[in-house]
Amino acid sequence: MDLTRAAAEALDAADPLAAFRDRFVVADESLLYLDGNSLGRLPRDTPAALARVAEEQWGRGLIGSWSSWIGQATEVGDLIGTGVLGAGPGQVLVGDSTSVDLYKLLVAGADARPGRDVLVCCADDFPTDRYLVAGVAAARGMEVREIPAHIDEGLDPEVLAAALDERVAVVVLSAVAYRSGALPDLTAVTRLVHDAGALVLWDLSHAAGAVPVELDAIGADLAVGCTYKYLNGGPGAPAFLYVRRELQDELRQPIWGWFGQRDQFEMGPVYDPAPGIERFGVGTPPVLATAAVEVGARLVAEAGIEALAAKGRALTDLVVALADAELAPHGVVLASPRDATRRGSHVSLAHPQAWQITQALVDRGVVPDFRTPDRVRLGPAPIYTRFVDVWDAMERFRAVLAESAHEAYPTERSRVT
Ligand SMILES: Cc1ncc(COP(=O)(O)O)c(C=O)c1O
């Protein structure tokens, strides 16, 4: 690979997605933002969309606007499902947080497998997933099997297979590992879980908008994910949940709110869940926030998930190649799968002083993430990140190490990273 800046510029010139960058707010061109997998950029159309909902619908229409809001959770759900997740209509709902949606689907899944008393999750998965599995298991007297996964290479299907038997009700796994970006074979893993008679619940937070997940085609049962990362829905944007159509009427979620109720405005005396995906709703949905999700998801759908994934692989390949060439002599080691088809759109680089390096990079106009124990995580979101952004960021990374600039930063970590 040609590792010159001119080669990066040539990649940008040939990039079929290049024009999408202008659809986002880039307030500071000198800031190299490689944290789109924590919080995506603001789409240019989002403020106007929010103003429209606020001024026209809320301000002018008042309560009468509920007629245009009532279908929003399923309409934006369908947009995400069909445009991003490979899920046919009527299977995705937007609302609540990823954690709350995980809770709802975990309990619903466990209830759907009576007589099975084990929940499986991955010991290296994102904390909220592990905590929720532990909490649900504790509340129900179930056992948790936390399977180990390689911190950089991710889940080994053989390790998972060894943990599966007729006692397992639900298996919770991330499609893209939050630290390393490792991406297992989703079809093969789903089949393994099904062979054991269990349900699989995929956390798509780092996958949605980064890689194709093809939920219908892989036979996924349940899924949840954030919309504030690659879907650019904004801080605190509501999550999405997916329930395979054939399972919907069999499953009951544990939070019996009126937004999951059949004929909601009949104000019936007892909870009677609505048919279809709407039964997974709970309370009044976040209308303004969902309007922002719609703008972000539309952009991703327009760009096309295959094209985004291809660019994500190319961008992260450039990170890896530059890390090998320029950073490895300073003790930096790749902490993600080397094979681009086995990772999402982010990579991690290990160094014993990763925390200090992260602070030094931020002060030099590069925004990565620190992740425990000693990783600098770089997430070049393909929809708005240029190859030259990656090149320039890696050059600043090299300069920090060459000048030992990171040594000047305290080793003690602050709370928010
Ligand atoms: C993989 C994964 N799952 C779940 C969450 C938590 O989602 P929420 O805070 O929206 O509940 C995150 C947040 O970053 C995440 O990365």
Side-chain angles (χ1 to χ4, degrees):
M1 189 188 286
D2 183 348
L3 294 180
T4 59
R5 192 174 195 279
E9 283 169 349
L11 288 172
D12 284 323
D15 174 13
L17 299 179
F20 278 92
R21 180 177 171 86
D22 287 340
R23 313 271 294 273
F24 290 86
V25 172
V26 180
D28 176 359
E29 281 286 352
S30 70
L31 185 74
L32 303 173
Y33 189 65
L34 301 183
D35 209 1
N37 56 328
S38 274
L39 177 67
R41 282 188 186 274
L42 170 65
R44 274 193 197 280
D45 286 345
T46 299
L50 289 172
R52 219 167 22 250
V53 177
E55 290 165 10
E56 290 172 25
Q57 297 184 356
W58 176 16
R60 194 179 300 273
L62 291 166
I63 194 73
S65 292
W66 264 109
S67 54
S68 45
W69 296 333
I70 201 80
Q72 189 196 38
T74 49
E75 287 157 17
V76 180
D78 282 347
L79 169 66
I80 295 173
T82 57
V84 182
L85 305 178
Q91 300 178 104
V92 178
L93 187 76
V94 173
D96 298 315
S97 65
T98 312
S99 302
V100 170
D101 283 340
L102 252 169
Y103 173 75
K104 292 188 295 190
L105 296 193
L106 192 50
V107 172
D111 279 344
R113 288 291 178 274
R116 291 177 174 242
D117 65 343
V118 172
L119 298 175
V120 173
C121 66
C122 179
D124 199 43
D125 209 340
F126 191 76
T128 210
D129 301 56
R130 293 182 282 106
Y131 303 160
L132 278 154
V133 167
V136 168
R140 302 168 64 95
M142 296 177 85
E143 183 183 309
V144 177
R145 284 185 197 151
E146 271 202 359
I147 55 171
H150 191 280
I151 184 171
D152 301 332
E153 298 298 327
L155 180 74
D156 178 346
E158 286 186 17
V159 174
L160 172 64
L164 297 175
D165 59 28
E166 67 295 338
R167 286 179 58 196
V168 177
V170 184
V171 177
V172 178
L173 295 169
S174 278
V176 171
Y178 80 97
R179 185 195 286 106
S180 68
L183 167 69
D185 180 336
L186 305 182
T187 309
V189 170
T190 299
R191 197 177 308 125
L192 265 183
V193 174
H194 287 172
D195 287 349
L199 295 169
V200 64
L201 198 177
W202 287 109
D203 183 337
L204 305 177
S205 294
H206 286 274
V211 292
V213 290
E214 296 303 329
L215 291 178
D216 287 349
I218 69 170
D221 302 305
L222 310 166
V224 296
C226 307
T227 62
Y228 44 74
K229 300 178 188 291
Y230 294 104
L231 296 182
N232 309 300
F240 63 83
L241 62 79
Y242 163 92
V243 180
R244 177 154 55 89
R245 185 180 301 283
E246 304 89 79
L247 287 172
Q248 289 173 3
D249 290 339
E250 179 194 337
L251 260 54
R252 278 173 85 116
Q253 56 104 346
I255 310 178
W256 293 10
W258 74 311
F259 267 76
Q261 171 77 345
R262 185 191 302 270
D263 299 328
Q264 174 186 10
F265 289 98
E266 290 305 312
M267 308 292 186
V270 292
Y271 178 71
D272 177 17
I277 196 69
E278 288 182 353
R279 66 173 47 198
F280 298 94
V282 177
T284 305
V287 171
L288 277 159
T290 309
V293 173
E294 179 173 357
V295 178
R298 241 180 238 299
L299 279 168
V300 169
E302 186 186 333
I305 194 66
E306 293 289 351
L308 288 166
K311 184 175 173 191
R313 288 192 293 273
L315 286 164
T316 51
D317 271 345
L318 183 57
V319 172
V320 172
L322 287 167
D324 285 345
E326 305 291 346
L327 308 187
H330 298 283
V332 170
V333 176
L334 178 64
S336 295
R338 194 164 276 282
D339 174 358
T341 65
R342 293 267 56 91
R343 58 174 195 252
S345 244
H346 68 269
V347 285
S348 284
L349 301 172
H351 186 283
Q353 291 166 295
W355 167 254
Q356 292 155 282
I357 293 169
T358 304
Q359 303 317 301
L361 286 171
V362 168
D363 281 350
R364 290 183 180 211
V366 181
V367 184
D369 251 334
F370 168 81
R371 281 294 171 265
T372 55
D374 59 359
R375 268 47 175 180
V376 180
R377 191 179 70 173
L378 303 167
I383 200 162
Y384 47 69
T385 308
R386 297 172 302 194
F387 290 89
V388 283
D389 297 331
V390 165
W391 197 94
D392 290 345
M394 296 301 280
E395 170 54 23
R396 292 185 203 177
F397 201 148
R398 187 203 59 75
V400 163
L401 294 171
E403 296 163 23
S404 295
H406 57 290
E407 301 280 3
Y409 290 81
T411 53
E412 193 181 321
R413 298 204 319 254
S414 55
R415 223 180 116 248
V416 176
T417 61

